[in-house]
Amino acid sequence: MRMTSDRGDLFIGWLIATWLLFVAVPICVSVVMGTTGYGLPLALVLIWFIFLRGAQMLSPSVRADRLMRNGHYARALELCDRALAQSGKYAWHGNRRMVWYNRRVSALLGLGKVDDALSAALEAVNASPDSQTLGNLSLVLLRLNRYDEAEEIARGVLALTRERSIIGNVVLASVKLKRGLPADADSLARTSLADVRQLLPNVRPEHHVACLAVMCRAARAQDQPEIAEFLFKDLKNAAGSDHTLQSVAVLEEIENLPDTAVGRDKGFQLVEEAYQLDPHYTLWQVTQPGTLIILRGDGRFVPWGERSTAEFTAFAANTPSREALTEALSGIGSRAQARPTAQANTLALGVQLATLGGTLVLLLWWTWRFFLIG
């Protein structure tokens, strides 16, 4: 079983020792002895870079993020649970533990376990009420169709971040669509999409897809089919290999079908396909007003409505009421922070920067000695 404990201190010691062994000592010996060593110091520097990159890629945090980017939410959730269960010397503490709570919320959402995601989101908010944990909470509430609470928390996130929260704008845009205000929804989603494009590729793909999905629906609601079709192509590209995001694209494709017998047959085939990719998201879309319009008058749509009703009835029974949620969130306003919790180990990051800077200086010294004045 791979390590899921916090080995930041061990990594720092390993990094310093390997840097001295592979970089500092060989270059210094080469310069002092006045020989290039047939380029051996440069080869050792390259080996050190490979070791460093490998250590970064194998860290639990990077593995979990990579799994979720590729849609492997069950494996990511397992990694999150193992990380949060660690105790003793190598347990995750402080900000670095907080990031695992946020990953766990995202993994549960990806798996459609929205009731469990709400509990996880509340735990994260109580530990650190910042723009990311509160944004995740608003998104979970949206996926539970608790629009008033989702809107309230999303507005709080936008107030914290001066309206520069991608999650906050997406949640508010979705609420506006539900309330029949497509122009307002489009404006909010466009704000988020502008931020997403500035941050690519360092932005969560589900946020990118959510922006585009809202804008597609808003364009259709405003009788702009050409714009909706253009946005849909971007959505399909952004979905990538993530099965949850692919289900978003499949369901959006239904909205472009003609209201004919052939179109409805194709539509029900696509609903089945989307359900196989992500059952919860498909049933959630069934509950959303203004979606799957050409299918709703067909008798074959009735079972889908019954499935979604059963799922959301179960969610309502397993999640806290509005009153309980308000009580759980009472008192966090004074602790709320605009910036999300930092993920990196500050000391480890500082040592990496120091060793990389030292490597550059040593390489310049070595080059100057043998190629400029040698």
Side-chain angles (χ1 to χ4, degrees), residues 211-228:
C211 290
L212 292 168
V214 169
M215 291 174 66
C216 282
R217 283 183 280 155
R220 282 192 296 270
Q222 297 177 90
D223 295 322
Q224 299 171 336
E226 296 84 2
I227 294 177

Side-chain angles (χ1 to χ4, degrees), residues 217 220-223 251-260 263-264 267-268 271 285-286 288-298 301:
R217 283 183 280 155
R220 282 192 296 270
Q222 297 177 90
D223 295 322
L251 290 169
E252 286 300 321
E253 185 177 350
I254 297 173
E255 308 295 350
N256 297 325
L257 296 174
D259 189 4
T260 63
R264 288 190 290 275
F268 282 109
V271 171
Q285 280 293 87
V286 169
Q288 303 306 296
T291 60
L292 310 176
I293 296 173
I294 68 169
L295 306 183
R296 292 185 179 274
D298 193 301
F301 192 77

Side-chain angles (χ1 to χ4, degrees), residues 56-57 59-67 69 103 343:
Q56 292 171 332
M57 294 300 294
S59 72
S61 300
V62 173
R63 294 206 318 272
D65 291 339
R66 185 167 61 246
L67 286 170
R69 279 197 303 271
R103 288 192 186 99
Q343 174 177 339

Side-chain angles (χ1 to χ4, degrees), residues 19-343:
W19 182 76
L20 290 171
L21 180 64
F22 287 90
V23 179
V25 171
I27 290 180
C28 289
V29 169
S30 174
V31 172
V32 169
M33 294 184 65
T35 175
T36 62
Y38 300 102
L40 179 60
L42 296 183
L44 292 174
V45 169
L46 179 60
I47 291 173
W48 179 75
F49 274 119
I50 293 173
F51 281 168
L52 176 59
R53 184 58 178 164
Q56 292 171 332
M57 294 300 294
L58 292 174
S59 72
S61 300
V62 173
R63 294 206 318 272
D65 291 339
R66 185 167 61 246
L67 286 170
M68 284 196 287
R69 279 197 303 271
N70 294 326
H72 302 305
Y73 295 107
R75 291 167 60 192
L77 178 61
E78 181 184 354
L79 209 59
C80 292
D81 288 338
R82 293 212 312 262
L84 291 170
Q86 291 289 338
S87 59
K89 180 180 179 180
Y90 296 117
W92 299 84
H93 296 290
N95 290 349
R96 286 164 67 74
R97 184 176 182 84
M98 188 64 249
V99 176
W100 283 105
Y101 282 123
N102 285 326
R103 288 192 186 99
R104 190 168 187 274
V105 174
S106 298
L108 288 166
L109 265 182
L111 290 170
K113 299 180 178 180
V114 191
D115 45 354
D116 292 335
L118 180 57
S119 299
L122 283 172
E123 189 175 9
V125 167
N126 286 323
S128 176
D130 57 50
S131 60
Q132 184 173 5
T133 57
L134 289 166
N136 285 340
L137 177 59
S138 70
L139 184 60
V140 173
L141 288 167
L142 176 69
R143 293 285 290 271
L144 287 167
N145 288 340
R146 295 170 64 163
Y147 299 109
D148 291 340
E149 297 155 278
E151 180 180 16
E152 182 180 344
I153 293 173
R155 289 193 180 281
V157 174
L158 292 180
L160 279 176
T161 60
R162 298 183 181 180
E163 301 187 356
R164 303 308 295 182
S165 167
I166 294 174
I167 301 179
N169 278 312
V170 167
V171 170
L172 280 182
S174 299
V175 172
K176 294 292 186 183
L177 272 181
K178 184 262 179 185
R179 292 175 176 165
L181 300 170
D184 292 346
D186 183 68
S187 176
L188 288 163
R190 284 185 184 277
T191 299
S192 280
L193 187 61
D195 291 340
V196 166
R197 286 174 172 163
Q198 288 180 356
L199 294 171
L200 285 174
N202 301 313
V203 69
R204 287 167 56 178
E206 57 266 35
H207 294 166
H208 189 187
V209 169
C211 290
L212 292 168
V214 169
M215 291 174 66
C216 282
R217 283 183 280 155
R220 282 192 296 270
Q222 297 177 90
D223 295 322
Q224 299 171 336
E226 296 84 2
I227 294 177
E229 181 64 24
F230 176 78
L231 292 168
F232 174 68
K233 292 177 181 177
D234 278 353
L235 191 158
K236 289 185 70 175
N237 291 331
S241 60
D242 185 325
H243 57 82
T244 296
L245 303 186
Q246 287 175 349
S247 73
V248 179
V250 171
L251 290 169
E252 286 300 321
E253 185 177 350
I254 297 173
E255 308 295 350
N256 297 325
L257 296 174
D259 189 4
T260 63
V262 174
R264 288 190 290 275
D265 289 343
K266 177 64 174 177
F268 282 109
Q269 291 176 12
L270 291 174
V271 171
E272 288 285 357
E273 180 181 337
Y275 185 80
Q276 294 301 317
L277 291 167
D278 189 327
H280 167 72
Y281 184 83
T282 302
L283 295 181
W284 181 66
Q285 280 293 87
V286 169
T287 68
Q288 303 306 296
T291 60
L292 310 176
I293 296 173
I294 68 169
L295 306 183
R296 292 185 179 274
D298 193 301
R300 290 172 289 178
F301 192 77
V302 174
W304 290 104
E306 292 173 347
R307 285 189 201 179
S308 62
T309 299
E311 175 160 294
F312 281 88
T313 299
F315 284 156
N318 295 328
T319 53
S321 64
R322 178 180 177 85
E323 293 73 19
L325 182 67
T326 301
E327 183 178 353
L329 295 176
S330 61
I332 68 167
S334 59
R335 297 190 291 124
Q337 301 292 325
R339 296 184 63 84
T341 302
Q343 174 177 339

